[in-house]
Amino acid sequence: MQLIQETPDLSAYLAADEVIDHHHPLVRETAARLAEKAADSYVYAQTAYEFVRDTIPHSADSGDMRVTWRASDVLAQGTGICHAKAHALAALLRAEDIPTALAYQRLTHDAGSGHCVHGLIAVRFHGSWHRQDCRGNKPGVDAQFSLAGERLAWVPDAKSNEMDFPVLYAAPHPAVLRVMKEAPDRPYLWENLPDAL
């Protein structure tokens, strides 16, 4: 699939905002701690990915009712759905000057009850974008950091009206962010995620 940059200006994929708040002290401290173990930017990116994937539980998997959407809050509270975890990973990568975009898929919602938009990231290395899914592994899900072919949590099934959205966003999609900010708890968020962009 051909990934499409939302903006030709790569600096947009390094920017901080209220969601990807990589100037926040907790984000900076976490990035610095992870960078200490990394020999180069590729190793750092994989280390940050595995940190978010493995140490911050997906709130639907863990049963956590809290809703996080700001990167620093995801790190502080240690919970989030796929979108929140993508925001945290984007902040950690941008904190180390690695261009990072937000990417989305349309997937079948729980037990086939409609569709919802799933969040992941794309990281830029060697002049190309590479999508990564840090939602967290579980039985049936084995996402891995990879620049040599995608190892995402799910591959959309066109027969089920699932799809990859090709646009790479510098900031969270407004439809996703709005429901995250409005949600009083995760069950509400889970039922109100958009089904298309």
Side-chain angles (χ1 to χ4, degrees):
M1 179 187 67
Q2 178 67 39
L3 297 174
I4 303 164
Q5 283 182 220
E6 180 187 35
T7 173
D9 181 5
L10 270 183
S11 68
Y13 300 96
L14 293 168
D17 58 28
E18 74 164 334
V19 179
I20 303 172
D21 58 341
H22 64 76
H23 294 309
H24 188 281
L26 179 57
V27 177
R28 301 302 302 179
E29 290 163 17
T30 305
R33 188 176 73 251
L34 296 172
E36 285 176 5
K37 307 170 188 172
D40 56 32
S41 60
Y42 171 81
V43 173
Y44 172 80
Q46 182 172 3
T47 301
Y49 166 87
E50 291 172 353
F51 172 79
V52 173
R53 182 194 66 189
D54 299 341
T55 68
I56 299 172
H58 189 290
S59 56
D61 295 347
S62 67
D64 197 316
M65 294 294 143
R66 295 174 292 170
V67 174
T68 54
W69 52 267
R70 183 179 287 118
S72 58
D73 291 339
V74 175
L75 296 176
Q77 296 183 42
T79 190
I81 66 164
C82 57
H83 299 286
K85 292 182 68 165
H87 300 164
L89 180 55
L92 290 172
L93 295 172
R94 290 182 185 186
E96 292 294 314
D97 296 320
I98 298 171
T100 306
L102 298 171
Y104 300 95
Q105 295 175 317
R106 181 178 194 246
L107 300 173
T108 302
H109 212 303
D110 293 336
S113 61
H115 294 86
C116 68
V117 173
H118 172 63
L120 51 157
I121 63 114
V123 63
R124 190 168 177 89
F125 277 103
H126 312 302
S128 298
W129 290 101
H130 306 271
R131 291 188 308 163
Q132 314 293 331
D133 192 340
C134 63
R135 64 95 48 216
N137 290 338
K138 63 180 184 175
V141 176
D142 184 26
Q144 302 294 325
F145 185 86
S146 175
L147 302 185
E150 292 184 338
R151 303 274 310 274
L152 305 178
W154 292 283
V155 175
D157 178 4
K159 290 184 235 172
S160 300
N161 281 331
E162 296 180 343
M163 66 176 290
D164 288 310
F165 293 104
V167 176
L168 298 175
Y169 294 89
H173 192 282
V176 173
L177 187 58
R178 178 185 51 76
V179 72
M180 292 180 81
K181 286 182 168 184
E182 291 174 356
D185 55 33
R186 185 191 41 79
Y188 176 93
L189 173 60
W190 208 240
E191 291 304 315
N192 289 281
L193 284 170
D195 63 3
L197 299 178

